[in-house]
Amino acid sequence: MCGIALGVWHHEDTQPHDAWASVISQIQRRGRDAYHSVECAQDGTRWELHASVLCLRGKELTPQPITSQDGHLHLAWNGQIFSSEHEDDPLLDMERNDGAIIMTRLEEHADQIPDVLVSTLSAVDGPYAFVLVDTRNACIYYGRDPLGRRSLLHTTTQGAWHLASVSGAAWKAHWKEVDCDALWQVTRGQAPVRIPRRTSRFVLRAPCDDAPDHAALVPDLQAVLSESVRQRVQKTRHARIGLLFSGGLDCTVLAALAAQHHAGPIDLINVSFENPRAIAAAWAVAEAPVKHDTFPADPYAVPDRVTARESYAQLAQLYPTHTFRLVQVNVPYAEYVSCLDTVQMLMSPQASVMDLSIAAALFFASRGEGYVDGVPYKTDARILLSGLGADELLAGYARHRQAWRRGGYDALTKELQLDLDRIPTRNLGRDDRVLSSHNREVRYPYLARKVVAYLASLPVQSKAYFELDELGDKYLLRCLATHLGLTYAAQLPKRAIQFGTRSAKMDAAGAHAKGTAQAFAP
């Protein structure tokens, strides 16, 4: 993983914006193993390309930007390739740096760069964002993976144009996410031109008439999801594994599968906020006596903390030879307030109340400072697994049940198709900016191409079965959890991170604010 920043000034004597230094500072925080930059001035235009590196693959650290042997190509590659359509694809060799392999291909076909980029990136699965500068032809190529799992922002200011993984503090330019439905090319300062991808959208299968046999489908889901987890936890370079852990269904299944493929300890990172509004409301209706280890006597005994402890205990029982560490991250209200400016800068250009409450939880989870068995502890995990994607693919949101009630499984299928199509435009870029700020990389096993393809091939009744009861959402995943022995997590209802951690509506002033309301000016 790396941080990327490109500045292009259309007049050589134009000075960088005062906040450009803060962008570079944030880029360096994303990858602390190495940091380099290259710059060039030609035909009256000056540019700088900066990259930091968090090294997670390859026998040796490969500094970035990567420069071709003839000095004309400069690549900043923020990606991880986990699978390919070609079994012998060198990009699957975890002993080699994937960015260096891509540069070799570009050097071999320097007159066909758009074709090389499209053919290479269309054949592989994994998160990426990149910037490639071709000084010989005065071209800049850039893009993100089709799901937008790696952040890349762009902005235009007077006499300048910028690309960056994250914006900097006090930067008033209007940053936007780079669209990830195509790759992009800029030639000699002209407007960006689309380079179409060869990958097609996933189309969900229509509902079926027959009742599904969920038990028969569990082995297939286990196989494809287990392989996705294996690809994301094995053969990592000096990297420990952490998991964003609420104790809920999605993340607990990932924890169990990770234990089957990763021999080292796994840090289960659980976040809890001291929420003055929720604490005051709970005391107002509390009946004595209130146990010291329950909410609100213990301000951190929030819903996600309770479920995390229970699921952790069951994991430890099921995998007695494996080391799980429940990292309990407690966030005092004063500390939350002191970090607000940083969180807002990282999540920008997203700026809603809901975005802020989610970003705050992810920020402190990624920081990873908490307690294990009452002893202060800071995780050294460089890789964080996330359960994001399970709700979109397996009908985990309340609106999915509402769609079913409104129009049956046909309406539910349409709603899920909308969710699948919207994943690239949702909040993966925001999450990457926040989680990567502490020198860590987040990985999403549920969003692996083969997992998405498998679930898209099933009729919706095979994934959700709302006739049963309130636990009919993500029913196939619940069956897998039960099969794995995770009986506690299999019975838990869906709960959003901002409510489970109590990061939402932290004070009386925000008690009635809608999630879609703007929390601050980006």
Side-chain angles (χ1 to χ4, degrees):
M1 191 201 81
C2 82
I4 300 171
L6 172 72
V8 180
W9 295 270
H10 301 305
H11 301 283
E12 291 185 27
D13 56 352
T14 302
Q15 295 300 309
H17 190 286
D18 291 341
W20 180 239
S22 69
V23 173
I24 303 306
S25 176
Q26 293 303 320
I27 294 304
Q28 292 171 335
R29 290 181 58 85
R30 292 172 58 93
R32 301 177 192 175
D33 292 334
Y35 163 75
H36 290 85
S37 65
V38 292
E39 56 184 272
C40 180
Q42 60 180 146
D43 300 329
T45 297
R46 181 171 61 86
W47 58 264
E48 299 175 2
L49 179 60
H50 302 254
S52 63
V53 176
L54 173 66
C55 186
L56 297 173
R57 63 181 286 169
K59 290 183 177 180
E60 298 178 352
L61 186 150
T62 301
Q64 296 204 44
I66 302 169
T67 299
S68 61
Q69 293 184 1
D70 63 9
H72 289 116
L73 299 177
H74 306 275
L75 173 66
W77 168 257
N78 175 18
Q80 295 289 343
I81 303 303
F82 297 118
S83 65
S84 172
E85 296 174 358
H86 313 296
E87 293 184 0
D88 59 347
D89 194 332
L91 286 168
L92 299 179
D93 185 355
M94 298 299 288
E95 299 296 324
R96 301 174 62 188
N97 181 275
D98 44 2
I101 295 171
I102 292 173
M103 175 57 82
T104 298
R105 293 182 180 178
L106 293 168
E107 289 180 289
E108 292 172 349
H109 305 280
D111 58 339
Q112 304 173 28
I113 286 179
D115 292 338
V116 173
L117 290 172
V118 170
S119 62
T120 297
L121 299 178
S122 296
V124 299
D125 177 35
Y128 63 80
F130 75 92
V131 174
L132 173 69
V133 179
D134 176 3
T135 58
R136 175 175 290 159
N137 298 297
C139 289
I140 297 171
Y141 304 89
Y142 60 98
R144 305 164 66 198
D145 71 83
L147 294 180
R149 287 165 288 189
R150 291 290 177 264
S151 171
L152 193 62
L153 306 174
H154 68 103
T155 188
T156 300
T157 58
Q158 186 174 5
W161 176 65
H162 299 87
L163 290 166
S165 301
V166 60
S167 64
W171 185 286
K172 299 300 183 183
H174 187 55
W175 291 91
K176 293 182 179 179
E177 300 266 10
V178 169
D179 288 340
C180 50
D181 60 347
L183 304 181
W184 300 90
Q185 176 179 348
V186 172
T187 303
R188 302 186 187 279
Q190 298 177 0
V193 175
R194 292 168 53 91
I195 305 175
R197 299 183 187 274
R198 294 178 186 169
T199 51
S200 58
R201 66 193 281 261
F202 290 101
V203 178
L204 298 184
R205 180 176 167 181
C208 64
D209 296 327
D210 301 327
D213 183 354
H214 294 98
L217 296 173
V218 166
D220 292 336
L221 175 60
Q222 181 176 355
V224 69
L225 185 57
S226 180
E227 175 61 12
S228 175
V229 172
R230 184 197 67 79
Q231 291 170 346
R232 284 155 179 78
V233 301
Q234 287 188 355
K235 296 183 179 180
T236 55
R237 187 178 188 268
H238 310 309
R240 291 204 176 183
I241 304 298
L243 199 150
L244 304 178
F245 192 70
S246 67
L249 173 65
D250 312 340
C251 62
T252 306
V253 168
L254 294 184
L257 296 177
Q260 298 174 14
H261 297 296
H262 182 70
I266 298 175
D267 286 350
L268 308 176
I269 304 173
N270 176 262
V271 181
S272 174
F273 286 80
E274 179 191 27
N275 185 314
R277 184 197 59 81
I279 293 170
W283 277 121
V285 298
E287 297 181 1
V290 177
K291 294 182 179 180
H292 73 280
D293 58 350
T294 63
F295 192 82
D298 177 359
Y300 299 113
V302 301
D304 275 8
R305 179 61 52 80
V306 174
T307 54
R309 288 170 175 168
E310 292 291 338
S311 290
Y312 161 71
Q314 190 159 64
L315 285 166
Q317 182 180 26
L318 291 169
Y319 299 91
T321 63
H322 199 93
T323 299
F324 292 102
R325 287 190 287 245
L326 180 60
V327 184
Q328 301 183 61
V329 177
N330 299 333
V331 185
Y333 179 70
E335 188 171 13
Y336 161 79
V337 173
S338 71
C339 292
L340 266 179
D341 287 346
T342 299
V343 174
Q344 292 173 357
M345 179 271 296
L346 291 169
M347 60 184 276
S348 182
Q350 277 80 3
S352 74
V353 169
M354 183 173 67
D355 283 314
L356 177 58
S357 59
I358 295 172
L362 297 179
F363 176 82
F364 288 103
S366 178
R367 194 176 69 170
E369 296 179 6
Y371 297 86
V372 173
D373 298 327
V375 178
Y377 177 85
K378 181 174 182 177
T379 183
D380 59 358
R382 288 185 157 203
I383 294 171
L384 300 177
L385 299 183
S386 167
L388 192 146
D391 289 315
E392 289 81 358
L393 294 167
L394 290 144
Y397 293 119
R399 66 174 179 274
H400 294 143
R401 184 179 292 275
Q402 294 167 1
W404 173 75
R405 287 173 175 164
R406 184 174 63 249
Y409 285 112
D410 287 324
L412 176 57
T413 300
K414 292 179 181 178
E415 186 73 19
L416 287 171
Q417 185 68 63
L418 285 174
D419 274 342
L420 189 57
D421 293 341
R422 284 188 302 215
I423 284 178
T425 62
R426 294 292 291 274
N427 296 313
L428 289 169
R430 174 202 67 197
D431 295 354
D432 175 67
R433 290 190 293 278
V434 174
L435 290 164
S436 298
S437 65
H438 294 291
N439 200 45
R440 310 189 202 280
E441 175 178 289
V442 62
R443 297 180 176 182
Y444 304 99
Y446 288 105
L447 292 180
R449 183 184 294 180
K450 290 183 179 180
V451 176
V452 176
Y454 170 70
L455 291 173
S457 73
L458 299 177
V460 68
Q461 298 101 315
S462 298
K463 296 173 282 191
Y465 205 44
F466 286 133
E467 288 94 338
L468 295 178
D469 52 29
E470 68 275 8
L471 297 180
D473 61 302
K474 295 187 287 192
Y475 187 70
L476 181 57
L477 189 61
R478 295 183 187 277
C479 291
L480 173 57
T482 301
H483 174 72
L484 293 171
L486 305 170
T487 53
Y488 176 76
Q491 299 299 314
L492 290 175
K494 162 69 179 176
R495 184 170 55 233
I497 183 174
Q498 64 269 34
F499 301 121
T501 64
R502 293 277 164 82
S503 64
K505 303 180 185 298
M506 292 285 281
D507 50 37
H512 303 293
K514 292 184 178 181
T516 55
Q518 184 167 298
F520 62 94

